[in-house]
Amino acid sequence: MLPALVALRVVASWIIVWGSALAAAAQESAVPGADALRSPDEKVRLQAIDTLGHAGPDAKGAVAKLVEQMTDKSPAVRAHAAHALEMIGPAASDAAAALVKAIGDPDAHVRRMAITALERIHPDPRVVVAALGKALKDNKDPAVRVAALDALTNAGEAAVAVLGKALADPETRYWAALALGELGATAQGAVDALVSSLKDERPEVRREVLIALARIGPEAAAAVPAIVALLSDADPSVRHGAAFALGRMGPAAASATDALRRAAKNSDELLRTVSAWALAHIDPKDQAAREEAIPLLTAALKNQNPRVQSMALRGLVDLHPQPAELVPLLSDLVARGDPALVPEALGALGSLGDAAAPALIAALKRPEARGGAATLIARLGSPAKAAVPGLIEALADRDAEVRREVLFALASIGPDAAAAAPAIVGHLQDPEVRIRATAAYALGCIGPAAKAAIPPLRKELTSAELLSRVA
């Protein structure tokens, strides 16, 4: 009886093995284009590869065949195969090893495609980070380095050790610092390596390392002594980066206050500005530092250097002064119309709630600020009803996107925007269908006070545009 059972088990195991093989073969043959991968004609193979890629996860059965194409003598075939695997996505996880190997391909395009495919497939980060670290040395194609940086930052904590080692190599130090900065506090394990990198003779490297330490924040406190030394660096951007990094560390950088006080009296205005902010940020309870920083930052808003203005603006907002102090300053920045600062000033106003309404209403008069101001007024809703006259005027703006944001603002104000109804009705004839639809929506939000709009709205029910009919 025992030999018979053994024989049955052997037969059963062979059935399972052969059944699996037949199922895989059936799955592969069911995928359109798989057979054409064997064609001697490169164009036919490329078309077949692309067909499989467009099939997405449904082409999982062809992954092994696509991996074979990764060794083709044609760089185009290899690159298309990598892209197809990317489009198949996580279902192509069995291709991870082949794609990791392709990061070292002689062709730059293949290298890029392999990296982006790995990002989409998302294998265990430990499988890919070493190869990605080597890709940071790619001197032939900057796009390969950028792709490797993106992939390493997406790998998170698993990439920290590799990036820490990359800091030791002058050739990859800058790129490693850039990636570690993107990881933020997750990169705290690389602090010692970053401190060592502050000795690099290239100012752009020192600056990037300082930014990485700033983004790690309080967890990089061990770097404070080395950063303090760079407050007197020969390169201005390094000095500014040092003060910024100390400020980002907050109370953990308390030992740097004396050095920052000296820096706050430097002839370099941007360094003075950043140092004043840093002092107030290191000790939020130090009222004297705060009272000293706010006037200095306020004065810096009028500096001719846009970088000084931008830093002063961010520093002021970060210190959370009273809205009564901040709103006039932000309103003045918007009124000056500097393209680089208007969006930042509007963003800061948007964080102040109802207190910002007068400044936003004033901003409606400026073409470069009108759309952003209308968007922020829409967030305020009915409390911004004083903006209605300004919004009615803004409906005449030539930019369709601005008109649409203005209509949304009036819709948000609702019944209190009844005075705008006649002007809104006029926009039911706007050449842009999105404007016509938004106008109808705004009239509906105003409600009974807009009943004079009923005849033109009935006419819109016959519009050829579905969006307009629905609205």
PDB file of all heavy atoms in Angstrom, residues 334-361:
ATOM      1  N   VAL A 334       1.219  93.765  -1.735  1.00  0.00           N
ATOM      2  CA  VAL A 334       0.348  93.492  -2.880  1.00  0.00           C
ATOM      3  C   VAL A 334       0.220  94.744  -3.744  1.00  0.00           C
ATOM      4  O   VAL A 334       0.270  94.677  -4.983  1.00  0.00           O
ATOM      5  CB  VAL A 334      -1.037  93.012  -2.403  1.00  0.00           C
ATOM      6  CG1 VAL A 334      -1.997  92.882  -3.589  1.00  0.00           C
ATOM      7  CG2 VAL A 334      -0.917  91.665  -1.688  1.00  0.00           C
ATOM      8  N   ALA A 335       0.074  95.898  -3.082  1.00  0.00           N
ATOM      9  CA  ALA A 335      -0.088  97.153  -3.818  1.00  0.00           C
ATOM     10  C   ALA A 335       1.138  97.486  -4.653  1.00  0.00           C
ATOM     11  O   ALA A 335       1.031  98.088  -5.726  1.00  0.00           O
ATOM     12  CB  ALA A 335      -0.383  98.291  -2.845  1.00  0.00           C
ATOM     13  N   ARG A 336       2.313  97.050  -4.183  1.00  0.00           N
ATOM     14  CA  ARG A 336       3.532  97.326  -4.946  1.00  0.00           C
ATOM     15  C   ARG A 336       3.608  96.473  -6.211  1.00  0.00           C
ATOM     16  O   ARG A 336       4.316  96.800  -7.157  1.00  0.00           O
ATOM     17  CB  ARG A 336       4.764  97.082  -4.068  1.00  0.00           C
ATOM     18  CG  ARG A 336       5.063  98.274  -3.157  1.00  0.00           C
ATOM     19  CD  ARG A 336       6.408  98.088  -2.507  1.00  0.00           C
ATOM     20  NE  ARG A 336       6.282  97.779  -1.096  1.00  0.00           N
ATOM     21  CZ  ARG A 336       7.218  97.188  -0.374  1.00  0.00           C
ATOM     22  NH1 ARG A 336       8.333  96.791  -0.944  1.00  0.00           N
ATOM     23  NH2 ARG A 336       7.044  96.969   0.899  1.00  0.00           N
ATOM     24  N   GLY A 337       2.915  95.344  -6.199  1.00  0.00           N
ATOM     25  CA  GLY A 337       2.775  94.549  -7.417  1.00  0.00           C
ATOM     26  C   GLY A 337       3.977  93.765  -7.875  1.00  0.00           C
ATOM     27  O   GLY A 337       4.077  93.411  -9.042  1.00  0.00           O
ATOM     28  N   ASP A 338       4.915  93.469  -6.970  1.00  0.00           N
ATOM     29  CA  ASP A 338       6.083  92.675  -7.359  1.00  0.00           C
ATOM     30  C   ASP A 338       5.628  91.250  -7.678  1.00  0.00           C
ATOM     31  O   ASP A 338       5.103  90.554  -6.803  1.00  0.00           O
ATOM     32  CB  ASP A 338       7.096  92.662  -6.212  1.00  0.00           C
ATOM     33  CG  ASP A 338       8.418  92.012  -6.613  1.00  0.00           C
ATOM     34  OD1 ASP A 338       8.377  91.027  -7.385  1.00  0.00           O
ATOM     35  OD2 ASP A 338       9.470  92.468  -6.158  1.00  0.00           O
ATOM     36  N   PRO A 339       5.797  90.795  -8.928  1.00  0.00           N
ATOM     37  CA  PRO A 339       5.307  89.458  -9.312  1.00  0.00           C
ATOM     38  C   PRO A 339       5.839  88.342  -8.424  1.00  0.00           C
ATOM     39  O   PRO A 339       5.174  87.321  -8.238  1.00  0.00           O
ATOM     40  CB  PRO A 339       5.799  89.295 -10.755  1.00  0.00           C
ATOM     41  CG  PRO A 339       6.068  90.676 -11.230  1.00  0.00           C
ATOM     42  CD  PRO A 339       6.482  91.474 -10.035  1.00  0.00           C
ATOM     43  N   ALA A 340       7.051  88.516  -7.884  1.00  0.00           N
ATOM     44  CA  ALA A 340       7.642  87.463  -7.062  1.00  0.00           C
ATOM     45  C   ALA A 340       7.038  87.422  -5.667  1.00  0.00           C
ATOM     46  O   ALA A 340       7.059  86.388  -5.006  1.00  0.00           O
ATOM     47  CB  ALA A 340       9.156  87.674  -6.960  1.00  0.00           C
ATOM     48  N   LEU A 341       6.493  88.558  -5.205  1.00  0.00           N
ATOM     49  CA  LEU A 341       6.019  88.637  -3.820  1.00  0.00           C
ATOM     50  C   LEU A 341       4.504  88.624  -3.679  1.00  0.00           C
ATOM     51  O   LEU A 341       3.994  88.263  -2.615  1.00  0.00           O
ATOM     52  CB  LEU A 341       6.580  89.900  -3.157  1.00  0.00           C
ATOM     53  CG  LEU A 341       8.088  89.905  -2.916  1.00  0.00           C
ATOM     54  CD1 LEU A 341       8.537  91.256  -2.394  1.00  0.00           C
ATOM     55  CD2 LEU A 341       8.486  88.815  -1.933  1.00  0.00           C
ATOM     56  N   VAL A 342       3.776  89.032  -4.715  1.00  0.00           N
ATOM     57  CA  VAL A 342       2.315  89.091  -4.612  1.00  0.00           C
ATOM     58  C   VAL A 342       1.709  87.742  -4.215  1.00  0.00           C
ATOM     59  O   VAL A 342       0.892  87.677  -3.290  1.00  0.00           O
ATOM     60  CB  VAL A 342       1.690  89.623  -5.926  1.00  0.00           C
ATOM     61  CG1 VAL A 342       0.183  89.369  -5.963  1.00  0.00           C
ATOM     62  CG2 VAL A 342       1.960  91.124  -6.057  1.00  0.00           C
ATOM     63  N   PRO A 343       2.086  86.611  -4.863  1.00  0.00           N
ATOM     64  CA  PRO A 343       1.497  85.328  -4.447  1.00  0.00           C
ATOM     65  C   PRO A 343       1.801  84.989  -2.984  1.00  0.00           C
ATOM     66  O   PRO A 343       0.935  84.468  -2.269  1.00  0.00           O
ATOM     67  CB  PRO A 343       2.149  84.311  -5.391  1.00  0.00           C
ATOM     68  CG  PRO A 343       2.581  85.115  -6.581  1.00  0.00           C
ATOM     69  CD  PRO A 343       2.980  86.445  -6.031  1.00  0.00           C
ATOM     70  N   GLU A 344       3.039  85.283  -2.539  1.00  0.00           N
ATOM     71  CA  GLU A 344       3.391  85.002  -1.140  1.00  0.00           C
ATOM     72  C   GLU A 344       2.578  85.864  -0.195  1.00  0.00           C
ATOM     73  O   GLU A 344       2.097  85.391   0.839  1.00  0.00           O
ATOM     74  CB  GLU A 344       4.888  85.257  -0.913  1.00  0.00           C
ATOM     75  CG  GLU A 344       5.792  84.172  -1.462  1.00  0.00           C
ATOM     76  CD  GLU A 344       7.225  84.337  -0.963  1.00  0.00           C
ATOM     77  OE1 GLU A 344       7.435  84.245   0.256  1.00  0.00           O
ATOM     78  OE2 GLU A 344       8.118  84.552  -1.789  1.00  0.00           O
ATOM     79  N   ALA A 345       2.437  87.154  -0.524  1.00  0.00           N
ATOM     80  CA  ALA A 345       1.677  88.050   0.333  1.00  0.00           C
ATOM     81  C   ALA A 345       0.206  87.637   0.389  1.00  0.00           C
ATOM     82  O   ALA A 345      -0.415  87.646   1.470  1.00  0.00           O
ATOM     83  CB  ALA A 345       1.806  89.488  -0.164  1.00  0.00           C
ATOM     84  N   LEU A 346      -0.361  87.254  -0.755  1.00  0.00           N
ATOM     85  CA  LEU A 346      -1.751  86.790  -0.771  1.00  0.00           C
ATOM     86  C   LEU A 346      -1.910  85.518   0.049  1.00  0.00           C
ATOM     87  O   LEU A 346      -2.892  85.357   0.784  1.00  0.00           O
ATOM     88  CB  LEU A 346      -2.207  86.553  -2.210  1.00  0.00           C
ATOM     89  CG  LEU A 346      -2.500  87.803  -3.049  1.00  0.00           C
ATOM     90  CD1 LEU A 346      -2.764  87.419  -4.495  1.00  0.00           C
ATOM     91  CD2 LEU A 346      -3.689  88.571  -2.487  1.00  0.00           C
ATOM     92  N   GLY A 347      -0.941  84.603  -0.085  1.00  0.00           N
ATOM     93  CA  GLY A 347      -1.000  83.372   0.701  1.00  0.00           C
ATOM     94  C   GLY A 347      -0.989  83.655   2.193  1.00  0.00           C
ATOM     95  O   GLY A 347      -1.723  83.031   2.967  1.00  0.00           O
ATOM     96  N   ALA A 348      -0.168  84.622   2.605  1.00  0.00           N
ATOM     97  CA  ALA A 348      -0.118  84.993   4.020  1.00  0.00           C
ATOM     98  C   ALA A 348      -1.434  85.623   4.455  1.00  0.00           C
ATOM     99  O   ALA A 348      -1.940  85.337   5.554  1.00  0.00           O
ATOM    100  CB  ALA A 348       1.040  85.960   4.263  1.00  0.00           C
ATOM    101  N   LEU A 349      -2.021  86.474   3.608  1.00  0.00           N
ATOM    102  CA  LEU A 349      -3.322  87.059   3.934  1.00  0.00           C
ATOM    103  C   LEU A 349      -4.390  85.982   4.089  1.00  0.00           C
ATOM    104  O   LEU A 349      -5.255  86.071   4.966  1.00  0.00           O
ATOM    105  CB  LEU A 349      -3.734  88.049   2.837  1.00  0.00           C
ATOM    106  CG  LEU A 349      -3.036  89.418   2.856  1.00  0.00           C
ATOM    107  CD1 LEU A 349      -3.280  90.160   1.554  1.00  0.00           C
ATOM    108  CD2 LEU A 349      -3.510  90.248   4.047  1.00  0.00           C
ATOM    109  N   GLY A 350      -4.310  84.974   3.238  1.00  0.00           N
ATOM    110  CA  GLY A 350      -5.296  83.899   3.296  1.00  0.00           C
ATOM    111  C   GLY A 350      -5.295  83.148   4.609  1.00  0.00           C
ATOM    112  O   GLY A 350      -6.291  82.524   4.983  1.00  0.00           O
ATOM    113  N   SER A 351      -4.165  83.194   5.334  1.00  0.00           N
ATOM    114  CA  SER A 351      -4.081  82.482   6.613  1.00  0.00           C
ATOM    115  C   SER A 351      -4.633  83.314   7.777  1.00  0.00           C
ATOM    116  O   SER A 351      -4.717  82.822   8.901  1.00  0.00           O
ATOM    117  CB  SER A 351      -2.621  82.121   6.905  1.00  0.00           C
ATOM    118  OG  SER A 351      -1.862  83.297   7.158  1.00  0.00           O
ATOM    119  N   LEU A 352      -5.033  84.567   7.511  1.00  0.00           N
ATOM    120  CA  LEU A 352      -5.451  85.469   8.588  1.00  0.00           C
ATOM    121  C   LEU A 352      -6.963  85.556   8.762  1.00  0.00           C
ATOM    122  O   LEU A 352      -7.447  86.281   9.631  1.00  0.00           O
ATOM    123  CB  LEU A 352      -4.877  86.872   8.336  1.00  0.00           C
ATOM    124  CG  LEU A 352      -3.348  86.961   8.319  1.00  0.00           C
ATOM    125  CD1 LEU A 352      -2.913  88.372   7.964  1.00  0.00           C
ATOM    126  CD2 LEU A 352      -2.766  86.541   9.660  1.00  0.00           C
ATOM    127  N   GLY A 353      -7.718  84.858   7.908  1.00  0.00           N
ATOM    128  CA  GLY A 353      -9.170  84.833   8.073  1.00  0.00           C
ATOM    129  C   GLY A 353      -9.837  86.163   7.771  1.00  0.00           C
ATOM    130  O   GLY A 353      -9.378  86.938   6.925  1.00  0.00           O
ATOM    131  N   ASP A 354     -10.928  86.448   8.505  1.00  0.00           N
ATOM    132  CA  ASP A 354     -11.746  87.635   8.235  1.00  0.00           C
ATOM    133  C   ASP A 354     -10.953  88.930   8.329  1.00  0.00           C
ATOM    134  O   ASP A 354     -11.286  89.926   7.661  1.00  0.00           O
ATOM    135  CB  ASP A 354     -12.921  87.693   9.215  1.00  0.00           C
ATOM    136  CG  ASP A 354     -13.893  86.538   9.020  1.00  0.00           C
ATOM    137  OD1 ASP A 354     -13.725  85.801   8.032  1.00  0.00           O
ATOM    138  OD2 ASP A 354     -14.798  86.373   9.853  1.00  0.00           O
ATOM    139  N   ALA A 355      -9.900  88.952   9.151  1.00  0.00           N
ATOM    140  CA  ALA A 355      -9.115  90.177   9.336  1.00  0.00           C
ATOM    141  C   ALA A 355      -8.461  90.628   8.032  1.00  0.00           C
ATOM    142  O   ALA A 355      -8.108  91.803   7.882  1.00  0.00           O
ATOM    143  CB  ALA A 355      -8.038  89.958  10.397  1.00  0.00           C
ATOM    144  N   ALA A 356      -8.306  89.707   7.088  1.00  0.00           N
ATOM    145  CA  ALA A 356      -7.647  90.037   5.824  1.00  0.00           C
ATOM    146  C   ALA A 356      -8.603  90.590   4.783  1.00  0.00           C
ATOM    147  O   ALA A 356      -8.164  91.033   3.717  1.00  0.00           O
ATOM    148  CB  ALA A 356      -6.959  88.792   5.265  1.00  0.00           C
ATOM    149  N   ALA A 357      -9.907  90.592   5.061  1.00  0.00           N
ATOM    150  CA  ALA A 357     -10.896  90.982   4.043  1.00  0.00           C
ATOM    151  C   ALA A 357     -10.618  92.355   3.434  1.00  0.00           C
ATOM    152  O   ALA A 357     -10.631  92.497   2.200  1.00  0.00           O
ATOM    153  CB  ALA A 357     -12.307  90.919   4.629  1.00  0.00           C
ATOM    154  N   PRO A 358     -10.364  93.406   4.222  1.00  0.00           N
ATOM    155  CA  PRO A 358     -10.117  94.724   3.598  1.00  0.00           C
ATOM    156  C   PRO A 358      -8.929  94.710   2.631  1.00  0.00           C
ATOM    157  O   PRO A 358      -8.989  95.332   1.566  1.00  0.00           O
ATOM    158  CB  PRO A 358      -9.840  95.639   4.801  1.00  0.00           C
ATOM    159  CG  PRO A 358     -10.525  94.972   5.956  1.00  0.00           C
ATOM    160  CD  PRO A 358     -10.370  93.514   5.694  1.00  0.00           C
ATOM    161  N   ALA A 359      -7.859  94.012   3.013  1.00  0.00           N
ATOM    162  CA  ALA A 359      -6.682  93.945   2.137  1.00  0.00           C
ATOM    163  C   ALA A 359      -6.992  93.173   0.862  1.00  0.00           C
ATOM    164  O   ALA A 359      -6.524  93.534  -0.226  1.00  0.00           O
ATOM    165  CB  ALA A 359      -5.515  93.299   2.878  1.00  0.00           C
ATOM    166  N   LEU A 360      -7.803  92.130   0.961  1.00  0.00           N
ATOM    167  CA  LEU A 360      -8.160  91.349  -0.220  1.00  0.00           C
ATOM    168  C   LEU A 360      -9.070  92.153  -1.145  1.00  0.00           C
ATOM    169  O   LEU A 360      -8.961  92.063  -2.379  1.00  0.00           O
ATOM    170  CB  LEU A 360      -8.843  90.043   0.203  1.00  0.00           C
ATOM    171  CG  LEU A 360      -7.945  89.058   0.964  1.00  0.00           C
ATOM    172  CD1 LEU A 360      -8.769  87.889   1.495  1.00  0.00           C
ATOM    173  CD2 LEU A 360      -6.824  88.547   0.072  1.00  0.00           C
ATOM    174  N   ILE A 361      -9.952  92.939  -0.574  1.00  0.00           N
ATOM    175  CA  ILE A 361     -10.828  93.793  -1.390  1.00  0.00           C
ATOM    176  C   ILE A 361      -9.977  94.799  -2.158  1.00  0.00           C
ATOM    177  O   ILE A 361     -10.192  95.041  -3.356  1.00  0.00           O
ATOM    178  CB  ILE A 361     -11.868  94.494  -0.495  1.00  0.00           C
ATOM    179  CG1 ILE A 361     -12.850  93.450   0.074  1.00  0.00           C
ATOM    180  CG2 ILE A 361     -12.622  95.560  -1.280  1.00  0.00           C
ATOM    181  CD1 ILE A 361     -13.760  93.979   1.165  1.00  0.00           C
TER     182      ILE A 361
END
